[in-house]
Amino acid sequence: MKDDVFFVWKVDKNVTPDDFPEYLNSIEPRIQFTSEIELNRVLNFADLSIKRLDDKFIMKVYRKGTHTNKYINWRSNDPKSYITGTMKTLMYRAYDLCTLRKDGNKELEFLKDTFI
């Protein structure tokens, strides 16, 4: 099982960001933590791309480069509620996760192109 944890680490001269996962991993050997450091003030975490500004975070939808954008075909024998539920969930995600309206609109346009 894998769970994700997101937290902001304030730089400390005496403790490096590598020290914390090392400490956590020493407590229980069956539970092991890894860490990722932002690159150019951006961190991709789960399905979010999080950009750190001086006073806030800007978030938008993130997909791995290997994502295929393939969903259930409308003409399949699956219940239509599965397909419409997928569409609604992805649209809700665009509204809910994107901090900036332009990013949300871009995501909705992407979804429109994907499902058409």
Side-chain angles (χ1 to χ4, degrees):
M1 187 169 128
K2 180 180 175 184
D3 284 326
D4 296 314
V5 177
F6 176 84
F7 66 92
V8 177
W9 182 276
K10 187 173 181 177
V11 176
D12 184 328
K13 295 175 187 175
N14 301 319
V15 182
T16 69
D18 292 331
D19 292 336
F20 188 63
E22 188 176 302
Y23 165 73
L24 291 175
N25 290 336
S26 71
I27 296 172
E28 173 56 63
R30 294 175 297 169
I31 301 173
Q32 294 297 293
F33 288 83
T34 61
S35 64
E36 292 185 37
I37 308 291
E38 67 184 24
L39 180 62
N40 297 324
R41 301 187 114 188
V42 175
L43 179 67
N44 296 319
F45 175 78
D47 59 350
L48 283 176
S49 179
I50 306 166
K51 183 173 185 171
R52 181 175 56 89
L53 302 180
D54 290 335
D55 60 340
K56 62 183 174 180
F57 294 105
I58 302 294
M59 297 179 289
K60 63 182 179 180
V61 174
Y62 169 74
R63 285 178 194 77
K64 291 182 179 181
T66 56
H67 184 72
T68 62
N69 300 323
K70 303 264 187 222
Y71 298 98
I72 301 171
N73 188 298
W74 184 258
R75 293 183 188 99
S76 73
N77 288 327
D78 291 295
K80 298 300 181 223
S81 61
Y82 289 9
I83 302 166
T84 57
T86 299
M87 293 168 138
K88 287 177 185 178
T89 298
L90 293 172
M91 290 169 54
Y92 176 77
R93 184 174 76 160
Y95 283 113
D96 196 46
L97 297 184
C98 294
T99 307
L100 302 176
R101 181 172 286 195
K102 69 176 183 159
D103 291 331
N105 290 340
K106 185 176 177 183
E107 178 64 16
L108 290 172
E109 190 65 33
F110 174 82
L111 293 173
K112 182 176 115 180
D113 292 343
T114 297
F115 283 106
I116 288 178

